[in-house]
């Protein structure tokens, strides 16, 4: 019985791997139905704070003597039938939420559904103090600051109002509208330790898993793998901050048009934990490099990524120097052009997904 | 082909309707897999604000000349195979998000999955300025105010620290932990008009649908049906504010231990739109009434609902007086006891779901 199931699934998987562009369907116009064994939500981790005094149930909203539950992650998960052993746990970037991994801005299936079709359980995290995990143990102001154009440039769609030539982003105005509306603010201070503490608890629920991070999620991603031995691999799309280095082997800080990027010093024993698991880091196109003559360096939104790509290369080298298994893929170097800061939801997201499928397979994480 | 599919589905539905307690499975310990034809996210509606001046791409985060997209709803939807014609569109209450309709605090399947199993498409809304739809065109402060005990009493789990006798809520401390962590704050002022404007756009995407609201969602729910003719029925769990009455037929304001509840005056022509669709309103147990001798009236958390239940009855009567089709079900009156403010996720949520299935069927909304 087990063998039959295994063969059946292996056959299905082969068809699916070949058919990823059509959503694993016999009819390319209508993707096959998804078969979900289980789905649901949970909160993971978090803290409880308490105000001094006594609760008075005649004055319900007087804080005295009351508690507040906050700083947890909020997770939506879906487990397909015949799942791979390792779930994929997705952690979004700055100003984003679990929605990042859903439908793409131009309305196609996102990594959430693409990888369900590939029989991976998916765990989609709203990090502490963001989205549906908004209840925070520290207060915050949420100003309604106009900044769409800043993100347009920072996320390398182009140099506002112009898109980059050949950018992997739909020119339909509705796609840009959906993209801007993915943003959702912090409801408490961003804190890598608070986030990674909650992520450790997410992993306890998901079981051993592959962690997939985006941008600002990179930093808490490394910390999650330092704090938990349940992270079996990390895939980081354009990590943007929190590059951890052994405290006595720090690279020089790197000035850029958006400020100076400095490494985060950590204990060697912590750093070494990151050398035990396979790690892959992807960066997209339109990043100024020596190779392309620093084209675009005068645009702050692009220059921000010049130093991050450089730092990421030093970081990967440092991991490997200490016996690790890290790899940096700058997509143009393998002939994939036009990707923005969101390769996984770009117009060529099926191609980007296939790279990940191959990497998971190569590292026996499927 | 259509007939075969129809018969197959009808047969499945009969098995499912009989088997709702077991999640429509042959094996009560393992619910059958869900078959999802399509799922994804989208933002609906919203506004764009613009700061005066010119955008300077050397100073990315200077607001001048930039826009902000905000005040949209964020929606996760799932469409099962062989769907009923009318989707269910779920709008949460105060301090909640789409997560409200997911897994129950004690870890069972929520209405999201229960109704998918019943072949209803589900659309789960984060309202403007909440959760994953956090980007707001007006700023807000998010204080970390301790108030768990207030909600414990307001949501009628009991009188803190004691649960009500026979309450339909798990006594496992982990259930209460999950419940408190469902709360997520406003990231901009609560505004019925902003919410209902976005809901109208949600309906344009879902198509004609049945709207299911909870608590504070009741008010924007009525407005959605006033503004859109795509609402084919409303199910309101414990509406808590925004009771709309014809401007010249207002009931007297009702004082309570949590303040005075007043009706919202609207034009008769608007009110009459609510008389054209079937509406059902449910309230749970432990609400002080004449019938139960106002037991619990001295507890503010309970007394809050005394006036809301009373106002809801006047509202239903007013709808029917003008030719409408509204019904109020006070659950203890039909022999269902112990329900909190969240009947749909209480310990007896399967029973509450069956009431809704029956109502949808009776009103030809299935």
């Amino acid at each position: 019985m087990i063998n039959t199931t295994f063969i059946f699934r292996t056959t299905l998987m082969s068809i699916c791997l070949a058919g990823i562009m059509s959503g694993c369907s016999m009819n390319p116009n209508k993707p096959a139905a998804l078969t979900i064994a289980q789905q649901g939500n949970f909160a993971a981790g978090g803290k409880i704070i308490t105000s001094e005094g006594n609760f008075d149930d005649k004055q319900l909203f007087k804080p005295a003597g009351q508690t507040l539950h906050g700083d947890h992650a909020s997770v939506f998960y879906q487990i397909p039938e015949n799942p791979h052993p390792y779930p994929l746990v997705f952690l979004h970037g700055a100003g984003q939420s679990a929605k990042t991994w859903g439908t793409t801005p131009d309305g196609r299936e996102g990594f959430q559904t693409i990888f369900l079709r590939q029989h991976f359980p998916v765990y989609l995290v709203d990090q502490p103090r963001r989205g549906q995990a908004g209840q925070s143990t520290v207060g915050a102001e949420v100003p309604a600051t106009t900044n769409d154009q800043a993100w347009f440039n920072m996320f390398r769609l182009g140099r506002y109002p112009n898109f980059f030539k050949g950018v992997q982003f739909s020119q339909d105005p509705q796609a840009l509208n959906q993209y801007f509306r993915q943003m959702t603010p912090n409801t408490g201070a961003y804190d890598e330790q608070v986030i990674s503490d909650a992520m450790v608890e997410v992993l306890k629920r998901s079981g051993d898993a592959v962690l997939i991070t985006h941008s600002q999620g990179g930093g808490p991603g490394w910390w999650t793998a330092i704090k938990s031995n349940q992270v079996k691999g990390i895939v980081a799309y354009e990590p943007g901050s929190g590059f951890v280095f052994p405290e006595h082997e720090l690279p020089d800080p790197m000035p850029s048009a958006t400020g100076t990027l400095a490494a985060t010093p950590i204990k060697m024993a912590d750093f070494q934990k990151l050398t035990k698991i396979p790690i892959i880091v992807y960066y997209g196109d339109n990043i100024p490099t020596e190779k392309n003559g620093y084209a675009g360096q005068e645009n702050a939104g692009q220059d921000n990524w010049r130093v991050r790509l450089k730092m990421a290369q030093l970081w990967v080298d440092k991991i490997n120097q200490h016996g690790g298994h890290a790899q940096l893929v700058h997509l143009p170097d393998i002939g994939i052009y036009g990707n923005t800061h969101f390769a996984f939801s770009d117009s060529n997201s099926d191609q980007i997904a296939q790279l990940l499928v191959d990497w998971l397979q190569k590292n026996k994480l499927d």
Side-chain angles (χ1 to χ4, degrees), chain A:
Chain A
M1 185 63 185
I2 287 164
N3 279 347
T4 314
T5 308
F6 178 75
I7 291 163
F8 179 63
R9 179 197 140 190
T10 306
T11 310
L12 264 185
M13 277 301 296
S14 308
I15 298 168
C16 288
L17 284 169
I20 190 169
M21 300 295 289
S22 68
C24 184
S25 169
M26 297 305 156
N27 172 357
N29 296 318
K30 188 181 177 278
L34 285 164
T35 311
I36 308 291
Q38 209 188 319
Q39 67 175 22
N41 307 86
F42 58 89
K47 294 180 208 157
I48 302 169
I49 57 171
T50 310
S51 295
E52 280 189 39
N54 295 310
F55 172 54
D56 175 4
D57 67 10
K58 305 267 180 305
Q59 298 182 67
L60 282 179
F61 288 96
K62 215 177 114 185
Q66 299 205 48
T67 59
L68 182 73
H69 286 61
D71 297 354
H72 46 272
S74 180
V75 182
F76 177 64
Y77 69 93
Q78 296 184 287
I79 302 173
E81 293 242 280
N82 307 315
H84 289 287
Y86 295 126
L88 306 181
V89 175
F90 291 90
L91 177 61
H92 57 75
Q96 300 283 314
S97 70
K99 190 176 183 310
T100 296
W101 312 100
T103 301
T104 64
D106 58 355
R108 293 168 300 112
E109 287 186 348
F111 267 29
Q112 170 182 4
T113 304
I114 286 177
F115 282 91
L116 273 172
R117 292 193 184 284
Q118 297 284 331
H119 288 266
F120 287 95
V122 297
Y123 286 72
L124 305 155
V125 176
D126 276 5
Q127 74 188 20
R129 308 176 180 174
R130 185 83 55 79
Q132 295 177 354
Q135 197 147 278
S136 164
T137 64
V138 297
E141 265 196 72
V142 183
T145 309
T146 54
N147 57 21
D148 290 335
Q149 284 66 22
W151 295 120
F152 184 98
N153 284 17
M154 278 284 276
F155 292 161
R156 302 198 320 281
L157 274 57
R159 195 166 177 176
Y160 192 85
N162 302 309
F163 284 94
F164 289 133
K165 204 182 151 191
V167 71
Q168 299 279 5
F169 194 92
S170 168
Q171 308 294 296
D172 179 347
Q174 183 54 24
L176 192 57
N177 179 57
Q178 288 289 324
Y179 188 67
F180 284 145
R181 295 185 186 283
Q182 281 181 207
M183 301 292 294
T184 198
N186 284 326
T187 53
Y190 173 80
D191 186 323
E192 282 185 351
Q193 299 309 318
V194 167
I195 296 167
S196 50
D197 285 349
M199 290 300 291
V200 170
E201 300 302 317
V202 173
L203 269 286
K204 286 184 190 165
R205 277 290 298 261
S206 69
D208 293 358
V210 177
L211 184 55
I212 303 188
T213 67
H214 178 220
S215 193
Q216 194 183 54
W222 317 135
W223 279 109
T224 305
I226 291 167
K227 294 176 183 179
S228 168
N229 61 11
Q230 296 199 276
V231 178
K232 297 303 172 194
I234 300 183
V235 181
Y237 289 98
E238 300 211 354
S241 60
F243 292 95
V244 291
F245 280 78
E247 55 191 339
H248 303 301
E249 302 179 25
L250 294 176
D252 290 336
M254 300 180 181
S256 82
T258 55
T260 295
L261 179 67
T264 304
I266 63 170
K267 301 274 174 219
M268 179 58 88
D270 284 341
F271 185 82
Q272 276 169 337
K273 289 181 189 160
L274 298 173
T275 67
K276 309 299 181 202
I277 53 172
I279 295 174
I280 190 160
V281 179
Y282 294 100
Y283 284 86
D285 204 351
N286 294 302
I287 299 175
T289 62
E290 274 181 60
K291 208 170 177 178
N292 66 26
Y294 293 105
Q297 196 173 5
E298 80 291 348
N299 174 16
Q302 285 179 269
D303 197 51
N304 178 74
W305 298 103
R306 176 181 57 83
V307 293
R308 281 157 179 81
L309 174 57
K310 226 166 138 182
M311 183 68 87
Q313 187 60 64
L314 296 182
W315 184 82
V316 160
D317 293 346
K318 183 62 71 184
I319 292 280
N320 293 337
Q321 181 192 323
H322 286 278
H325 315 279
Q327 185 188 352
L328 186 149
V329 177
H330 187 202
L331 292 168
D333 290 346
I334 59 167
I336 299 178
Y337 300 101
N339 279 106
T340 75
H341 185 49
F342 289 65
F344 52 84
S345 63
D346 278 346
S347 309
N348 62 343
S349 55
D350 285 327
Q351 190 178 18
I352 303 300
Q354 190 61 54
L355 293 180
L356 178 49
V357 167
D358 294 343
W359 183 84
L360 291 166
Q361 195 166 37
K362 199 184 105 192
N363 287 279
K364 304 197 186 342
L365 293 169
D366 64 349

